[in-house]
Amino acid sequence: QLPERLRSAVLQQRSSAQRDAVSRLREHCGFVLWTINTELAPGIRLSRTATLDVLANAIELARVVVVQGPPGSGKSAMVKLLLEALPNGITSFAFKAQEFNEPHIHRFLTSMGIGLTVAQLRCEFALLPRKVLLVDGAERLFELNNHEAFRHLLQQLSGDKSWTVIITCRESSAQALREHLLAQWGNDVTTVTILLLNAIELEWVSDQAPHLAPLINNQRLTRLLRIPFILSLAWKAFPAGASTEVIADIDERQFKDIVWQGYVERSIQRQ
């Protein structure tokens, strides 16, 4: 954060492009977060306060936090809830990992509609006391033709302690991420693992949606339904009027067939 005397001087010399840059990036953050679903069903949000507490502590202790977990475990959703709960004075920014498919940071900024140099943007960011950057879905970085824009961005942020970087990544790619793209941060990197739902959380879902209780109590489906994304699909595919006798006895293959035919195909047809 700049001293007040320097901050006042910088404010007076800001161009309209500099003033608009942060607003544009904040709008982009809002769009990225909008794409992340945090509800199992409309109005039903699973409370995972213990996990949120772990995340909140992690961003206080480390400069880079890798949030890892299996597909569908709720990594992005948990980080979104964290960012929504940040106190005033902390400004958040967010990108999807695939947006970094550029050979240089300047090309990346241009793709965001920002015509500033990195130096100009750093001056603008210096006016903000604390910043949090989310990079969502970092496993996609290894599918890109270029990593240089991502590397350059991290290099620019590494010398500024007012930034905290949160990166969501599937467990299968997290080690490669730390070794190949985050090595420069050394001990400033910590990892938080998002676990699948436990028995208490599944019981809470049964209380909220009694029609899903036969599914949740079906031991052949326990492995699947511990995944929040799969559980949210079950909520959509199995309406309250579904036969409890039928759904209490299905196996994983039958469950997947019903979800595909009853929800996914209909969703595709509506598009």
Side-chain angles (χ1 to χ4, degrees):
Q1 184 178 4
L2 290 176
E4 185 57 35
R5 180 176 60 82
L6 290 178
R7 187 172 185 275
S8 299
V10 171
L11 282 171
Q12 294 173 8
Q13 298 180 30
R14 294 163 75 206
S15 67
S16 59
Q18 286 175 284
R19 290 193 296 271
D20 292 343
V22 171
S23 295
R24 187 180 292 271
L25 290 173
R26 291 287 294 131
E27 288 175 3
H28 185 75
C29 175
F31 172 75
V32 171
L33 295 182
W34 175 78
T35 66
I36 299 172
N37 181 37
T38 59
E39 296 182 334
L40 292 174
I44 305 296
R45 179 180 286 181
L46 187 64
S47 176
R48 306 184 78 179
T49 53
T51 303
L52 275 178
D53 288 343
V54 171
L55 279 174
N57 289 334
I59 67 170
E60 294 300 324
L61 298 174
R63 300 276 315 286
V64 179
V65 179
V66 177
V67 181
Q68 68 177 23
S73 58
K75 303 177 292 294
S76 302
M78 294 307 303
V79 174
K80 177 179 178 178
L81 293 175
L82 174 69
L83 296 184
E84 290 177 342
L86 289 177
N88 293 333
I90 302 179
T91 306
S92 56
F93 301 90
F95 301 102
K96 294 289 188 181
Q98 57 268 31
E99 294 181 276
F100 289 96
N101 192 22
E102 299 289 350
H104 196 275
I105 189 66
H106 295 299
R107 286 275 296 274
F108 169 72
L109 292 175
T110 301
S111 73
M112 295 286 108
I114 296 171
L116 299 181
T117 65
V118 173
Q120 288 173 316
L121 200 54
R122 288 184 65 178
C123 289
E124 193 65 22
F125 283 139
L127 299 171
L128 304 172
R130 188 174 177 193
K131 288 82 65 177
V132 173
L133 171 67
L134 165 64
V135 178
D136 189 38
E139 65 277 358
R140 300 290 300 276
L141 289 169
F142 298 101
E143 302 171 8
L144 304 181
N145 295 324
N146 292 288
H147 296 145
E148 292 312 305
F150 180 74
R151 291 179 187 275
H152 193 185
L153 176 65
L154 292 185
Q155 181 182 7
Q156 292 295 317
L157 299 185
S158 63
D160 186 345
K161 293 186 177 181
S162 67
W163 280 95
T164 301
V165 181
I166 305 176
I167 305 175
T168 66
C169 186
R170 290 183 180 178
E171 230 165 5
S172 57
S173 300
Q175 185 63 32
L177 174 71
R178 288 188 289 267
E179 290 179 358
H180 299 297
L181 297 177
L182 300 178
Q184 62 183 307
W185 293 80
N187 294 330
D188 278 336
V189 179
T190 193
T191 299
V192 173
T193 300
I194 304 299
L195 302 176
L196 299 180
L197 301 181
N198 58 37
I200 294 175
E201 290 168 328
L202 287 175
E203 183 179 355
W204 180 87
V205 173
S206 293
D207 291 341
Q208 298 299 310
H211 68 284
L212 292 182
L215 275 179
I216 293 172
N217 294 330
N218 182 343
Q219 294 186 359
R220 287 183 287 184
L221 300 179
T222 300
R223 183 185 69 85
L224 277 181
L225 296 179
R226 290 183 63 208
I227 303 171
F229 175 70
I230 300 297
L231 189 58
S232 70
L233 289 181
W235 207 310
K236 298 177 179 74
F238 293 86
S243 170
T244 58
E245 293 182 2
V246 172
I247 64 178
D249 199 40
I250 63 176
D251 57 23
E252 284 193 10
R253 181 186 60 78
Q254 293 169 317
F255 172 85
K256 291 176 181 177
D257 288 343
I258 293 171
V259 167
W260 180 262
Q261 296 168 6
Y263 173 71
V264 177
E265 283 188 346
R266 288 205 308 268
S267 298
I268 293 173
Q269 292 168 1
R270 287 196 295 267
Q271 292 178 356

